[in-house]
Amino acid sequence: MTVPHLRGSQVSLRPMTYDDVRHLAKWGSDPEFRHYQWGQKAGVFEERSARAWIERMSRPGDSACWVIEHDGRPIGFANYRDFHPKGKSAEIGIGIGQPDLWGKHLGRDALQTLMRYLFDELGLHRVGLSVVAFNDRAISMYKAVGFEVEGIERDGVGVEGGFVDDVKMGMVKGRPRPDFDPRPVTLEGQHVRLVPLRMEHARALFEAADEDDIWRWMVPRPKGVAGYERYIRWALDEQILGAQVPFAVIRRSDDVLVGTTRYAHIDPPNHTLEIGYTLYGKGARRTPVNTECKLLLLRHAFETLGANRVWLQTDKRNERSQEAIVRLGAAKEGELRNERILADGHLRTSVIFGITKDEWPKVRERLLGYLAR
């Protein structure tokens, strides 16, 4: 089977040949690429290894590989492999070999182009892929194209010094996407910008949030930057599963990270979610930050995602938090007694507040009124 040229809106895919060994070796030797693509430490991807990779990915009837080009120059690769005619399925791989081009949607364009070929030209029914669990940008991109997380293989990839989790994702032709599907997104306001929370935010979050007042009612207090890295990693693991979408809160006046918040308890069948895990540093409290964060999150939930209900909760002992939630216009719905065990062994009673889609217009006007003062 002849491997065709494929064209997307920003990139083109041309068949890879052995003349591309030097490109593949260069990309495979980039420290960032090695880390996120393969979970490997800094090292050299030798040309003989690159040649063997091309050979393995160029077996007629089983696999094919392409060079991704942008503005007339090679920037990465794409491939399919493990083709199963009876099941009409295959596995794919894709990588942008130049980290300075990450985040420009070139990989997404290449992936969409490849998927059109596999579904429309090769007649595949299912396409699968694997990605190391800490490659959050790639996972978000795959979800944006239509892949779903099908499971996590714990310690599924052996790397230098240990193992990392392997996320299994798949796309089935014609399978509809969930109607209610919160995913990482940037939300812009006048005072704050909510951006997807990343591991690289750990130090800034530590500097903003390492206060006794913040953690009095929260989960176990992270210790040092490493603790905040673990805190963010847990949030991102929940995001992989579709249970949460965490954000970093950036103050627009100085581009400083001043806190974090997230969607949690995402319930796609019922179109509901929680806004929680919210914390701000001293410099952001008693400012428009929290009001605008809630406005952005609620507006996105109700007006873009189509939520039926958004809820909030807090420790019954945290009266300041309860007053802040009531100020938003949320209705107190009840209490969950002994709802969770805290780090100090205390059995927490959670107070639950809610906003329905019918109540949202009045809440929106209330929040806009606060911001206009």
Side-chain angles (χ1 to χ4, degrees), residues 137-211:
R137 285 186 175 86
I139 293 169
S140 295
M141 184 265 287
Y142 293 136
K143 286 184 176 181
V145 172
F147 281 83
E148 296 181 39
V149 173
E150 298 178 334
I152 298 177
E153 187 177 337
R154 298 300 178 187
D155 286 355
V157 179
V159 298
E160 296 99 332
F163 300 88
V164 296
D165 294 348
D166 200 20
V167 179
K168 304 297 184 182
M169 305 184 71
M171 183 190 296
V172 176
K173 185 176 183 179
R175 180 181 177 127
R177 301 183 67 167
D179 293 333
F180 189 72
D181 186 23
R183 286 178 281 141
V185 65
T186 295
L187 303 175
E188 295 272 0
Q190 179 181 354
H191 304 282
V192 299
R193 181 171 62 253
L194 303 183
V195 303
L197 187 65
R198 304 287 189 197
M199 291 299 298
E200 54 261 37
H201 290 133
R203 177 165 290 280
L205 187 58
F206 164 71
E207 293 172 354
D210 198 44
E211 302 175 15

Side-chain angles (χ1 to χ4, degrees), residues 306-361:
N308 290 325
R309 174 178 179 270
V310 174
W311 57 285
L312 305 94
Q313 64 173 311
T314 187
D315 193 307
K316 186 176 181 178
R317 299 170 297 170
N318 191 348
E319 295 180 357
R320 185 173 67 182
S321 178
Q322 292 179 59
E323 291 170 358
I325 295 173
V326 169
R327 179 177 178 273
L328 298 174
K332 181 177 178 180
E333 297 177 335
E335 298 180 358
L336 298 178
R337 297 174 299 165
N338 290 359
E339 183 257 343
R340 70 183 67 178
I341 303 173
L342 299 182
D344 62 1
H346 177 81
L347 291 174
R348 166 174 149 163
T349 291
S350 295
V351 185
I352 308 300
F353 300 82
I355 302 169
T356 68
K357 65 179 181 180
D358 295 329
E359 296 165 343
W360 163 238

Side-chain angles (χ1 to χ4, degrees), residues 10-262:
Q10 299 183 76
V11 303
S12 61
L13 280 66
R14 64 164 174 80
M16 185 177 286
T17 71
Y18 289 117
D19 291 338
D20 296 306
V21 162
R22 60 190 177 91
H23 301 308
L24 192 59
K26 177 185 175 183
W27 300 327
S29 298
D30 181 272
E32 283 191 272
F33 181 86
R34 291 174 63 87
H35 175 66
Y36 287 106
Q37 190 76 20
W38 300 321
Q40 295 183 0
K41 295 180 180 179
V44 176
F45 190 52
E46 298 180 350
E47 290 197 358
R48 63 180 180 180
S49 298
R51 178 176 291 272
W53 186 94
I54 295 174
E55 181 179 351
R56 188 168 66 253
M57 297 296 172
S58 305
R59 297 171 179 167
D62 178 75
S63 58
C65 56
W66 290 263
V67 169
I68 302 170
E69 292 189 333
H70 174 62
D71 288 340
R73 62 191 179 102
I75 64 167
F77 65 83
N79 67 78
Y80 77 82
R81 58 194 184 276
D82 299 331
F83 173 64
H84 294 284
K86 186 175 180 180
K88 294 185 178 181
S89 67
E91 295 287 309
I92 65 164
I94 191 167
I96 300 298
Q98 298 176 223
D100 62 307
L101 294 177
W102 293 352
K104 300 183 182 298
H105 303 304
L106 301 177
R108 181 183 301 188
D109 185 34
L111 179 61
Q112 291 171 325
T113 303
L114 177 61
M115 296 304 295
R116 284 195 297 270
Y117 171 70
L118 295 177
F119 282 142
D120 299 340
E121 301 299 325
L122 288 192
L124 295 190
H125 176 68
R126 182 187 185 281
V127 174
L129 62 85
S130 298
V131 55
V132 289
F134 55 75
N135 195 346
D136 304 297
R137 285 186 175 86
I139 293 169
S140 295
M141 184 265 287
Y142 293 136
K143 286 184 176 181
V145 172
F147 281 83
E148 296 181 39
V149 173
E150 298 178 334
I152 298 177
E153 187 177 337
R154 298 300 178 187
D155 286 355
V157 179
V159 298
E160 296 99 332
F163 300 88
V164 296
D165 294 348
D166 200 20
V167 179
K168 304 297 184 182
M169 305 184 71
M171 183 190 296
V172 176
K173 185 176 183 179
R175 180 181 177 127
R177 301 183 67 167
D179 293 333
F180 189 72
D181 186 23
R183 286 178 281 141
V185 65
T186 295
L187 303 175
E188 295 272 0
Q190 179 181 354
H191 304 282
V192 299
R193 181 171 62 253
L194 303 183
V195 303
L197 187 65
R198 304 287 189 197
M199 291 299 298
E200 54 261 37
H201 290 133
R203 177 165 290 280
L205 187 58
F206 164 71
E207 293 172 354
D210 198 44
E211 302 175 15
D212 292 339
D213 283 351
I214 288 176
W215 295 101
R216 180 170 294 120
W217 313 111
M218 301 281 282
V219 297
R221 180 176 179 173
K223 295 182 179 179
V225 175
Y228 281 83
E229 288 176 345
R230 288 190 291 272
Y231 181 79
I232 294 174
R233 183 66 260 162
W234 176 77
L236 294 176
D237 286 346
E238 291 296 299
Q239 179 173 276
I240 290 172
L241 297 172
Q244 299 183 1
V245 177
F247 298 89
V249 180
I250 309 297
R251 186 168 52 207
R252 296 196 62 176
S253 62
D254 54 11
D255 276 337
V256 170
L257 186 152
V258 296
T260 182
T261 188
R262 72 184 74 165

Side-chain angles (χ1 to χ4, degrees), residues 257-278:
L257 186 152
V258 296
T260 182
T261 188
R262 72 184 74 165
Y263 291 141
H265 290 104
I266 296 169
D267 184 352
N270 295 305
H271 293 208
T272 69
L273 54 77
E274 176 197 3
I275 294 175
Y277 296 90
T278 302

Side-chain angles (χ1 to χ4, degrees), residues 282-299:
K282 276 182 183 175
R285 298 198 288 271
R286 302 186 185 281
T287 73
V289 166
N290 183 54
T291 300
E292 190 168 60
C293 281
K294 293 300 191 293
L295 174 65
L296 293 172
L297 291 168
L298 288 166
R299 185 164 59 196

